[in-house]
Amino acid sequence: MSDNVFKNQPSLRALLKAGKPVLGSWLQASSPCIAEIFANAGYRWMGLDVEHTSASYELVESVARAAYGRGADLLVRVSQADQIEIRRCLDCGAQGVIVPYIESAEQAQKAVAAAKYPPVGVRGFAFMRGNNWGVDFDEYAAKANEETLVIGMIESKKGVDNIDEILAVEGLDGVFIGPYDMSGSYGVPGQTQHALVKEAIAKVLAACKKAGKAPGQHIVRSKPEQIQAALEQGFTFICLDGDIIFLDQVSRATLQTAKEVIAKF
Ligand code: 3PY
Ligand code: MG
């Protein structure tokens, strides 16, 4: 028997179930190379953003291939709770999906159903990259429903209002807060530290704790005190910044340093 995509043990899902913090980052620059760099750096998972980028299925497959064997799981942030899109991303070799803009239990159920094989859901069986082109068919089919992670994004007032019924959906492993959409939904776009946004986040966190599901947060342009606060509050599924943010920050800082050196000549 050879390896399949669920080789990283303990699995991400098991870590989250046990309430352990797992640190990941975000891929938007369409680069398998950056996926390799993130995995080498030690991120336990990475979220490939298909919702807000030009990423193709070819890219999903290339990134899955790049992450494979390096200890990091690939989760794809799909564009919506679409049965075929979720199936294809998992078949490309992703270990899970992050589904944006979940506002109701029905949407969450649809996402879970798409990600799970019958009798739990409606995912179709096939030989595909995820099961090593059929070589690991039996092992993959036996593990997939247990190991495939399904995370719903809560990023609107409606999602916050319906959080208890969303979290009650069996198979939904946790929720991930999108601070920017959340701020937009509360009428304060971009003000992710606004009291209204903080209150909404606190409500989602409390509901996760009550339901025993993983609370997640994307900390965009993270500062140490934000990371500390998120961990102290009990967030476990944590996404730190992302490739475009790291590149923006480091490229600017390096150029600025060089300009300061030149100015002293
Ligand atoms: C948001 O902030 O809305 C996001 O989706 C971040 O991932
Ligand atoms: Mg969003």
Side-chain angles (χ1 to χ4, degrees):
M1 182 175 51
S2 49
D3 290 329
N4 65 38
V5 298
F6 300 120
K7 71 183 292 188
N8 296 327
Q9 293 299 324
S11 71
L12 198 52
R13 194 160 180 250
L15 288 170
L16 289 172
K17 262 189 164 173
K20 303 261 191 257
V22 286
L23 301 177
S25 192
W26 209 236
L27 296 165
Q28 288 192 292
S30 303
S31 169
C33 166
I34 296 176
E36 290 174 325
I37 292 168
F38 277 1
N40 287 347
Y43 289 97
R44 180 62 182 78
W45 65 274
M46 46 197 134
L48 173 63
D49 188 5
V50 167
E51 184 195 9
H52 286 294
T53 68
S54 61
S56 63
Y57 289 114
E58 284 89 348
L59 181 76
V60 175
E61 186 170 279
S62 297
V63 169
R65 200 167 274 137
Y68 181 76
R70 292 174 189 266
D73 283 357
L74 173 67
L75 308 179
V76 179
R77 199 252 299 266
V78 292
S79 63
Q80 56 178 322
D82 179 77
Q83 190 181 325
I84 304 303
E85 186 177 337
I86 289 174
R87 178 186 302 169
R88 292 187 72 185
C89 289
L90 295 175
D91 283 1
C92 283
Q95 284 85 0
V97 285
I98 300 173
V99 186
Y101 240 91
I102 295 292
E103 296 191 304
S104 67
E106 291 71 36
Q107 278 175 295
Q109 268 153 3
K110 204 172 159 200
V112 171
K116 308 281 177 172
Y117 288 124
V120 179
V122 294
R123 184 176 173 193
F125 290 97
F127 284 13
M128 40 80 188
R129 195 182 163 272
N131 59 23
N132 203 11
W133 305 113
V135 174
D136 294 335
F137 184 94
D138 292 341
E139 191 195 352
Y140 183 94
K143 279 188 182 171
N145 281 2
E146 182 56 28
E147 301 288 29
T148 302
L149 201 67
V150 184
I151 302 283
M153 288 196 72
I154 302 297
E155 39 188 356
S156 68
K157 185 174 180 313
K158 201 167 165 198
V160 175
D161 290 344
N162 293 332
I163 189 64
D164 291 324
E165 62 178 65
I166 292 169
L167 286 168
V169 171
E170 204 169 327
L172 187 79
D173 297 301
V175 295
F176 184 56
I177 289 161
Y180 278 86
D181 273 316
M182 188 79 98
S183 66
S185 172
Y186 279 85
V188 289
Q191 296 180 53
T192 58
Q193 300 301 310
H194 193 283
L196 286 171
V197 180
K198 283 189 168 173
E199 199 183 314
I201 293 175
K203 195 173 165 201
V204 174
L205 181 62
C208 283
K209 285 183 181 166
K210 202 168 86 189
K213 300 233 166 148
Q217 193 177 163
H218 196 169
I219 309 178
V220 180
R221 296 205 184 104
S222 65
K223 297 194 178 58
E225 57 274 19
Q226 283 174 290
I227 300 170
Q228 189 172 343
L231 289 168
E232 279 171 4
Q233 284 163 9
F235 281 100
T236 52
F237 183 65
I238 293 180
C239 181
L240 299 171
D241 300 294
D243 51 8
I244 57 164
I245 296 166
F246 293 141
L247 203 53
D248 177 58
Q249 288 172 338
V250 175
S251 59
R252 279 171 198 272
T254 304
L255 184 60
Q256 183 57 30
T257 305
K259 282 181 175 170
E260 283 164 17
V261 172
I262 288 171
K264 286 185 200 139
F265 274 177

